Amino acid sequence: MPLLSVDWEAMFTPEANVIEIFVRGTVMYFLLVALLRITPRRTVGSLGIVDLVVVVFVAEAAGKALGGDYVSLIDGAVLVATLVGWGVALDWANYQFPLVARVLSPPPLPVVRNGKVLRRNMRSELLTEDELMGMLRGQGVEDVSNVRLACVEEDGALSVFTFKGNDKPKRKAPPRKKVG
């Protein structure tokens, strides 16, 4: 075979059964969505879970198709189309059905409420107090007592709401000892 010759037939004839490629892509897609759903949010990064799955798998599938690991471009194209299709389908379902949205998009998790750190919630996100304080400083907050509410969002970002003016709760004075 000459150096510049291309086997056009092999390039456009699927090696594997197209249904098998679709099923493999579907199973791996939902497996990764499920695994990422149970990991702490800040591990995921700044993308939503579904977006991250699509990016990772499409990059892998496209890379194999581009690099020639697949003899047929059709194999790579079917896999990429399957992954993108599921990404769009889940985004649509997330928008249309509140139950799907609750499963795929966890609600914001409070880690500070009324100036008090919620350690149990921080533990579930594997978030240390030093990391929390660093995230608060990144939002311009120096003291946790100034925070009305801080939540870890689905994408791992921290949203912070501070007290405005005089709405900061008053600290109760310690009880006085009775002199006898």
Side-chain angles (χ1 to χ4, degrees):
M1 185 182 268
L3 182 61
L4 296 176
S5 148
V6 175
D7 185 355
W8 294 101
E9 185 177 346
M11 188 182 300
F12 291 104
T13 304
E15 273 188 348
N17 183 331
V18 173
I19 301 296
E20 179 183 344
I21 295 169
F22 174 80
V23 170
R24 286 176 182 269
T26 298
V27 168
M28 290 306 296
Y29 181 91
F30 284 103
L31 177 65
L32 190 56
V33 165
L35 289 173
L36 287 175
R37 179 59 178 89
I38 62 173
T39 60
R41 291 171 239 215
R42 57 193 200 91
T43 305
V44 173
S46 62
L47 294 174
I49 291 171
V50 172
D51 300 326
L52 181 65
V53 170
V54 170
V55 167
V56 167
F57 276 158
V58 167
E60 176 69 17
K64 286 187 175 221
L66 289 171
D69 288 352
Y70 294 134
V71 173
S72 168
L73 288 175
I74 300 300
D75 293 350
V78 168
L79 186 54
V80 167
T82 298
L83 299 172
V84 170
W86 279 118
V88 169
L90 285 182
D91 283 345
W92 178 83
N94 195 18
Y95 178 77
Q96 294 291 327
F97 304 106
L99 178 62
V100 173
R102 278 196 300 270
V103 170
L104 292 179
S105 304
L109 180 69
V111 290
V112 178
R113 182 174 284 130
N114 293 326
K116 292 189 173 36
V117 175
L118 305 175
R119 298 196 190 290
R120 176 179 285 165
N121 290 353
M122 286 178 54
R123 192 174 322 124
S124 74
E125 288 300 312
L126 304 176
L127 182 65
T128 68
E129 195 163 336
D130 286 341
E131 290 169 324
L132 173 64
M133 293 310 297
M135 294 169 88
L136 289 172
R137 284 189 301 274
Q139 300 254 352
V141 177
E142 295 176 18
D143 186 358
V144 74
S145 68
N146 295 325
V147 176
R148 182 171 47 89
L149 181 66
C151 296
V152 178
E153 300 293 339
E154 173 194 5
D155 64 359
L158 187 70
S159 57
V160 179
F161 302 93
T162 56
F163 291 107
K164 304 268 191 249
N166 294 332
D167 66 351
K168 191 171 181 179
K170 304 285 186 228
R171 302 269 186 215
K172 291 183 180 178
R176 294 185 178 185
K177 294 181 183 178
K178 291 187 178 182
V179 178

